[in-house]
Amino acid sequence: MTALTRRHFIAGGLAAGALGLAGLTGCAPAAEKSGEDVSASAGADGAATPAAGERPWEIAPAPIAEGQITETVESDVVIIGLGASGTYAATSAIEQDPYNGDLGLGFVPEIDLLGALLGHIQDKGADICFKHTSQQLVRDGDGRVSAVIAADETGALKKFVGTKGIVIATGSYSQDAAMLEYFCPMVTHNPVGDKVAQFNMGDGSGIKQALWVGGTMQNNGDHPPMMFWGSTNCIKNVMVNSTGRRFIDENAGQSNFAAAQFNQPGGTMVALWNEAYASQLPAISYRADDPSWAAKPEELLAKWNALVEEGIFMKADSLDEIAAAYDLPADVLARTVETYNGYCAAGEDGEFHKNPATLHELTGPYFATKYDVPASLACMGGLHVNALSQVLTETEEPIVGLYAIGLAAGDFYANQYSTRFAGNSLGRCMTFGYLIGRQLAGLE
């Protein structure tokens, strides 16, 4: 197979706002390799008013006429979106030797890695087009999706033809209120209302454009949200709600915690622990291949005390101080801790059956912190795809030339996003980006 070259490859983020098309020949000069936001969600709805029973995101706008297009650029691959999945797809597709992709970066934060990969694919000859906004996909009748039409920052329309494939890597639909309510009602119909913070993980535009050419959404029911209840999620000795009572096995995963927290009064919870807990916590390594990365007790204590200084945690000699600080009923909190300590002495949690090995007596002085309502990072549902990441029609037929990866693709999660396996969403984005790149480059 012929490897992709400079003249064969377009990748990037066609977005509402900033967009990068990587691999497009003849695009505007690429942005600086650091500083420019290349994460993307494809833009421009332009849909007609839906008829009765129709949903607004399913209604396609009128096709853009050929006479409106100011430029046509042809390449082998067009990748719409330059987040984790799109950048990995671009990197994988541009590699002529499938084993020469080691950048010598070692263990680096994700954002640094994506920046390095962006520079890497540019050095390999891919063209990146930023500040373009995808409008429509082009499908020839019921056949192949052959191109995407995008507007540059001046509004000029360009057609980017992908002879081997068009890849949707534009993220989820979290910022589209109607789609969020329909597909992910747990977030919009929750007991704490609009207090739930929403992260910008895409407005669903890339998904919509795939629907307009015959694609479908995944078939299962409500899509699970990716919910997080706090950055210090290792603090789980005793957790109480605003009434001062325990409400869950503190060993539950973060998604379970978020679901339970939603249904507590006010959607808040307070964690309590002490200095001894630094030695009682499981030694969880940050790297599976190197246990030495696990936090040491003295490191945890230093971190906790620093957060006390910042006002994020508090340290108290009595439970009454904690109750006053977080507006908890002092008598109920005292009984809760007394009961919990009894479970610790008996070696059995009579309420939530917490693992006896993790029942640790809670005595002062205490640490405590309050968690507000959980945040929703993204909705984990998207386009109906097969094992090759091809977008499928209602009759389960792949749309030739059209692929979806990352948060734009569905059929991966069931009723809950699992935070038991940290990074599995990012891992999926990277893995399927890598696989689709190799596939379209003829390496698979």
Side-chain angles (χ1 to χ4, degrees):
M1 291 287 184
T2 302
L4 298 181
T5 67
R6 181 180 181 82
R7 296 210 158 269
H8 296 152
F9 181 59
I10 298 175
L14 290 169
L19 164 142
L21 284 176
L24 287 175
T25 306
C27 289
E32 294 294 325
K33 295 179 184 178
S34 62
E36 175 114 20
D37 178 11
V38 297
S39 60
S41 60
D45 294 340
T49 301
E54 292 180 314
R55 303 179 186 95
W57 57 86
E58 298 174 332
I59 312 304
I64 295 172
E66 282 290 331
Q68 296 179 263
I69 296 171
T70 62
E71 181 182 355
T72 298
V73 182
E74 183 174 309
S75 65
D76 280 349
V77 180
V78 178
I79 301 174
I80 310 173
L82 270 180
S85 58
T87 303
Y88 268 74
T91 305
S92 178
I94 202 67
E95 289 288 358
Q96 296 184 27
D97 177 349
Y99 301 106
N100 72 349
D102 183 7
L103 305 179
L105 298 173
F107 187 73
V108 296
E110 173 207 347
I111 191 66
D112 293 337
L113 178 57
L114 293 186
L117 291 177
L118 176 59
H120 180 63
I121 60 176
Q122 289 175 303
D123 291 343
K124 283 283 186 178
D127 289 318
I128 314 292
C129 288
F130 294 97
K131 297 182 180 179
H132 287 59
T133 305
S134 67
Q135 307 290 311
Q136 293 178 4
L137 296 169
V138 178
R139 187 179 185 190
D140 306 319
D142 291 330
R144 181 185 188 88
V145 168
S146 59
V148 59
I149 298 172
D152 67 16
E153 58 185 331
T154 71
L157 295 174
K158 303 176 184 178
K159 179 188 285 187
F160 298 102
V161 177
T163 58
K164 291 188 175 180
I166 309 291
V167 182
I168 303 291
T170 55
S172 184
Y173 53 79
S174 300
Q175 298 303 306
D176 184 295
M179 294 183 78
L180 182 68
E181 181 174 15
Y182 183 83
F183 291 113
C184 198
M186 178 180 175
V187 173
T188 53
H189 300 286
N190 67 79
V192 292
D194 60 1
K195 294 180 181 179
V196 178
Q198 289 285 329
F199 285 72
N200 185 7
M201 290 291 183
D203 64 2
S205 299
I207 293 174
K208 296 172 198 174
Q209 290 164 32
L211 297 176
W212 298 342
V213 293
T216 55
M217 294 294 277
Q218 66 184 58
N219 294 323
N220 67 300
D222 297 348
H223 301 170
M226 183 193 294
M227 303 297 297
F228 283 87
W229 54 264
S231 60
T232 53
N233 53 65
C234 62
I235 312 301
K236 295 182 180 180
N237 192 19
V238 175
M239 194 76 73
V240 300
N241 60 20
S242 61
T243 71
R245 296 175 173 86
R246 292 176 68 215
F247 60 94
I248 195 172
D249 170 5
E250 288 88 352
N251 293 328
Q254 194 163 177
S255 292
N256 301 88
F257 251 112
Q261 184 184 350
F262 261 151
N263 293 285
Q264 303 312 303
T268 63
M269 59 188 182
V270 173
L272 301 97
W273 70 103
N274 57 18
E275 288 190 1
Y277 195 55
S279 300
Q280 295 161 349
L281 275 168
I284 301 174
S285 176
Y286 300 123
R287 287 185 61 173
D289 62 336
D290 187 355
S292 69
W293 279 60
K296 310 289 191 299
E298 60 273 17
E299 294 171 341
L300 289 174
L301 283 173
K303 176 182 178 181
W304 297 344
N305 284 312
L307 290 171
V308 170
E309 292 295 323
E310 293 178 31
I312 297 173
F313 289 176
M314 71 171 292
K315 200 170 185 179
D317 291 323
S318 71
L319 293 173
D320 286 347
E321 293 176 65
I322 296 172
Y326 295 132
D327 196 24
L328 304 174
D331 56 340
V332 177
L333 180 62
R335 286 198 300 272
T336 295
V337 173
E338 181 182 7
T339 301
Y340 181 80
N341 286 340
Y343 296 151
C344 295
E348 182 178 2
D349 181 357
E351 291 179 275
F352 300 102
H353 308 285
K354 187 175 179 178
N355 182 347
T358 62
L359 289 171
H360 303 298
E361 184 181 16
L362 181 59
T363 57
Y366 307 94
F367 285 102
T369 190
K370 184 177 181 179
Y371 295 101
D372 291 324
V373 295
S376 175
L377 271 69
C379 298
M380 310 308 290
L383 292 163
H384 187 30
V385 295
N386 61 17
L388 297 178
S389 297
Q390 294 174 294
V391 177
L392 302 177
T393 67
E394 288 185 353
T395 58
E396 302 292 322
E397 295 295 324
I399 298 177
V400 179
L402 183 61
Y403 304 84
I405 55 177
L407 293 179
D411 301 302
F412 199 82
Y413 296 95
N415 65 331
Q416 189 177 83
Y417 173 78
S418 175
T419 52
R420 289 285 191 186
F421 305 97
N424 67 80
S425 175
L426 184 59
R428 172 181 73 135
C429 291
M430 293 176 172
T431 299
F432 281 88
Y434 171 79
L435 291 174
I436 195 65
R438 288 176 58 82
Q439 180 180 324
L440 294 177
L443 299 171
E444 293 288 349

